[in-house]
Amino acid sequence: MQTLSPRKYVQTKARTLPVSKCMVNKDWEESQIANVSVMRKHTNGNVTIGLYRVDLLCLGVKDTVFFFNTSENEFFQEYSQELADFKEIDYALAHNIIYAGHDFAMEFDIHPHHNFEVTRYILEEDDNAVPVIDVPLGTDGLPHLIVERSGQFAEVLAKLKQYAGEGNYYYTVEDPGIPPRLREDASAINLQIDNIPPGEVSLSNVQNIRSDDMLNTEKVQTRSVLEQITIHAELLTRLLPPEINTCTPEEELQWHEMWDEIGHGAEEPNNVLEEHFEEHLFVVKQTDELADLLDRNNEQLMREFEDGMAALANEYAHNPLALQTIYEQGVLLDLPSLCEVAKKHAVKMYKYFPVLNFSLALGALIQQEQDSRFEQIYAHSDIREAVPGYEQYHSSEVINFWLTRLWVCLEQKDIKRAVQYYFMLVDGKATGWLLLPVLEKYVEVLYRYNKALKDLEEDDGA
């Protein structure tokens, strides 16, 4: 049975859950920036939380996110510092703050953050059932745009001129000596490779490296194979034409829904037991010790490594996490006999463990082995159709699914969708044994694609 994604659940079911708690920053009236949280409680005791950053001067719902089916205690522990200056309020006030800011901004065609299309369903319908509470807006009732520097929010200023008219709004550039009222995240593509310690270039930071530094062959070649491939993948993505490495607003909404699977995922892999985790830690330790034997030029040492890993697979044939680690090591190192030993045990249980299911499906693609057992995964872009029946999916399950989808798109020469999966893997800070072979294929395909485009340009110019 296919379950609802977190986004679809919020849009269709959230309002059936009771509101349990609402909060706002204590200085919201003075600052006229309100950070509002609204919690709804599930029958299992967890909560779905909507967070709304509302500028009451003119920008409206500036930012909004949601947490799906998460532990209330863990949420307060994780964000204890940020919530220290918050106070609890009635739902009616929370609702009025959010919609007062929203409606005031919309008077000037200033639209809310795109996530409001989802998070508004954590709120009640904005109708007469919610008591109206007066919320102070603007300055002297007029919209007031306060910017950190000239040119910031230029499109908003243009709308104020158009819809409010000259003399009917305030515009202030803040003193550079004081902290900005609303700080926009600046794009930070300014890191040099030398700023990142050896071994630590990854999908979590590669987008911050300057392109000219990525072209420095001498620097790049001092890095590990995975780091080099990661750098090449990012550089080749940047070189793609805009129609390939960007998407329309409608497409972006679809990718946001896919992203929700990891942004609001399960805390642990599905159906995995506590004893599996404990044993897995031991297997990882043993794997690291065996890895010290690795030497491609020494056949005897390679055989000892393979035999040792196969023995672990046989000993922990009941453990999905252990089998996943051993199988993926076999795929990564191109050790068919080790893959065969691990897979022999894994296929007996993979249907009960999505983490193993996705691993085997991806491994089969990398090894170029047709396996009809995973056709459903290859055929669907929605994880809930690929492996149905789960309320949430763990990040490790989602990452391997996205890696599988990226590989499939490359095979189908669907570069545009492949690039979007790459972006999601970057946003998800993806790691894992099978990341390297997938990125290698991505780099190979993008290199050929960019070269073909360049050849066409040269032919046209001739």
Side-chain angles (χ1 to χ4, degrees):
M1 179 186 69
Q2 186 179 342
T3 55
L4 293 172
S5 69
R7 179 175 293 239
K8 283 285 191 285
Y9 185 97
V10 168
Q11 290 175 317
T12 59
K13 303 282 189 182
R15 285 176 178 164
T16 67
L17 304 175
V19 174
S20 59
K21 185 177 293 184
C22 300
M23 302 178 72
V24 71
N25 50 303
K26 294 174 183 176
D27 67 344
W28 72 272
E29 290 174 282
E30 176 188 347
S31 67
Q32 289 187 279
I33 297 176
N35 296 305
V36 185
S37 69
V38 176
M39 296 186 182
R40 290 184 180 267
K41 183 152 286 190
H42 294 255
T43 55
N44 63 6
N46 285 348
V47 290
T48 284
I49 310 165
L51 301 180
Y52 311 82
R53 183 168 175 78
V54 186
D55 173 37
L56 297 170
L57 286 181
C58 78
L59 294 175
V61 182
K62 184 75 174 60
D63 196 6
T64 177
V65 296
F66 70 95
F67 292 80
F68 175 70
N69 193 22
T70 191
S71 164
E72 184 174 351
N73 289 336
E74 289 180 10
F75 173 80
F76 278 109
Q77 287 173 8
E78 186 170 350
Y79 296 97
S80 58
Q81 187 173 348
E82 292 88 342
L83 295 171
D85 294 324
F86 277 58
K87 64 180 180 181
E88 195 165 342
I89 58 174
D90 292 336
Y91 172 77
L93 179 56
H95 183 104
N96 276 270
I97 291 172
I98 295 166
Y99 269 104
H102 170 272
D103 293 350
F104 188 57
M106 287 297 288
E107 287 181 30
F108 313 104
D109 197 37
I110 300 170
H111 291 259
H113 188 275
H114 62 80
N115 280 343
F116 194 63
E117 267 305 306
V118 181
T119 60
R120 68 189 179 93
Y121 290 99
I122 297 174
L123 307 172
E124 294 294 324
E125 190 72 47
D126 187 37
D127 57 22
N128 294 331
V130 180
V132 176
I133 299 173
D134 186 47
V135 174
L137 298 165
T139 297
D140 302 327
L142 297 178
H144 188 174
L145 178 61
I146 300 177
V147 298
E148 183 182 350
R149 61 191 180 280
S150 295
Q152 186 184 28
F153 300 122
E155 71 287 354
V156 173
L157 180 59
K159 289 184 176 183
L160 292 180
K161 290 178 179 179
Q162 178 181 356
Y163 293 99
E166 293 292 352
N168 294 316
Y169 65 88
Y170 293 97
Y171 176 73
T172 304
V173 179
E174 291 175 303
D175 186 327
I178 64 172
R181 179 175 178 271
L182 279 172
R183 182 179 293 279
E184 282 194 299
D185 291 334
S187 179
I189 306 180
N190 54 15
L191 267 184
Q192 292 189 339
I193 292 174
D194 291 341
N195 298 139
I196 303 174
E200 294 189 16
V201 173
S202 67
L203 290 185
S204 67
N205 56 30
V206 71
Q207 285 192 321
N208 297 327
I209 300 174
R210 289 165 39 172
S211 296
D212 60 340
D213 225 38
M214 290 182 171
L215 291 167
N216 189 321
T217 306
E218 186 176 338
K219 283 186 180 183
V220 173
Q221 287 182 344
T222 63
R223 296 297 178 142
S224 70
V225 173
L226 178 56
E227 287 178 292
Q228 290 184 45
I229 291 295
T230 302
I231 291 168
H232 293 324
E234 175 61 23
L235 181 59
L236 287 167
T237 302
R238 293 182 192 178
L239 292 173
L240 290 167
E243 62 268 21
I244 298 297
N245 62 15
T246 58
C247 56
T248 66
E250 293 76 16
E251 290 169 334
E252 190 172 354
L253 284 175
Q254 295 175 1
W255 291 108
H256 276 303
E257 184 161 353
M258 291 186 197
W259 167 254
D260 285 342
E261 295 294 358
I262 199 169
H264 307 286
E267 293 181 7
E268 296 175 349
N270 283 290
N271 296 335
V272 173
L273 306 176
E274 189 61 39
E275 53 264 35
H276 290 154
F277 290 107
E278 295 171 3
E279 292 174 348
H280 180 242
L281 288 175
F282 176 76
V283 169
V284 170
K285 182 181 177 183
Q286 292 291 103
T287 299
D288 290 342
E289 291 176 3
L290 286 168
D292 292 336
L293 299 172
L294 283 174
D295 184 350
R296 284 289 187 185
N297 299 317
N298 190 317
E299 188 176 334
Q300 176 64 28
L301 288 179
M302 288 301 296
R303 190 158 49 247
E304 287 180 22
F305 171 81
E306 197 166 1
D307 290 345
M309 292 293 287
L312 283 174
N314 289 325
E315 184 177 354
Y316 294 97
H318 59 281
N319 188 315
L321 296 181
L323 291 176
Q324 178 198 9
T325 294
I326 296 166
Y327 174 72
E328 291 186 2
Q329 282 275 342
V331 174
L332 178 65
L333 297 170
D334 193 21
L335 300 172
S337 60
L338 178 58
C339 292
E340 187 178 341
V341 172
K343 191 171 182 177
K344 176 184 68 176
H345 302 301
V347 294
K348 297 175 183 177
M349 65 173 78
Y350 77 98
K351 290 184 179 180
Y352 304 103
F353 299 100
V355 69
L356 202 52
N357 202 345
F358 292 123
S359 178
L360 293 174
L362 178 55
L365 289 179
I366 295 170
Q367 292 180 301
Q368 297 182 326
E369 294 178 351
Q370 294 293 325
D371 197 324
S372 59
R373 286 173 289 200
F374 309 115
E375 284 303 321
Q376 186 162 322
I377 293 177
Y378 304 146
H380 293 287
S381 59
D382 185 341
I383 194 171
R384 294 174 180 276
E385 295 178 355
V387 177
Y390 297 94
E391 185 174 339
Q392 291 171 280
Y393 296 81
H394 185 254
S395 59
S396 62
E397 297 163 351
V398 179
I399 291 297
N400 266 357
F401 178 61
W402 286 351
L403 287 170
T404 301
R405 294 304 312 158
L406 174 53
W407 189 285
V408 170
C409 288
L410 293 172
E411 288 283 321
Q412 296 172 344
K413 296 182 172 55
D414 188 348
I415 307 298
K416 186 176 177 67
R417 288 185 67 83
V419 168
Q420 294 306 316
Y421 278 112
Y422 167 77
F423 285 147
M424 291 208 295
L425 290 164
V426 168
D427 290 342
K429 299 177 173 57
T431 58
W433 299 113
L434 300 185
L435 177 62
L436 176 58
V438 176
L439 284 184
E440 284 178 327
K441 185 176 182 68
Y442 181 74
V443 166
E444 177 190 348
V445 173
L446 259 61
Y447 176 79
R448 291 202 306 266
Y449 184 82
N450 279 317
K451 187 176 185 303
L453 289 179
K454 185 178 180 182
D455 291 344
L456 281 174
E457 290 174 1
E458 290 175 353
D459 290 343
D460 290 342

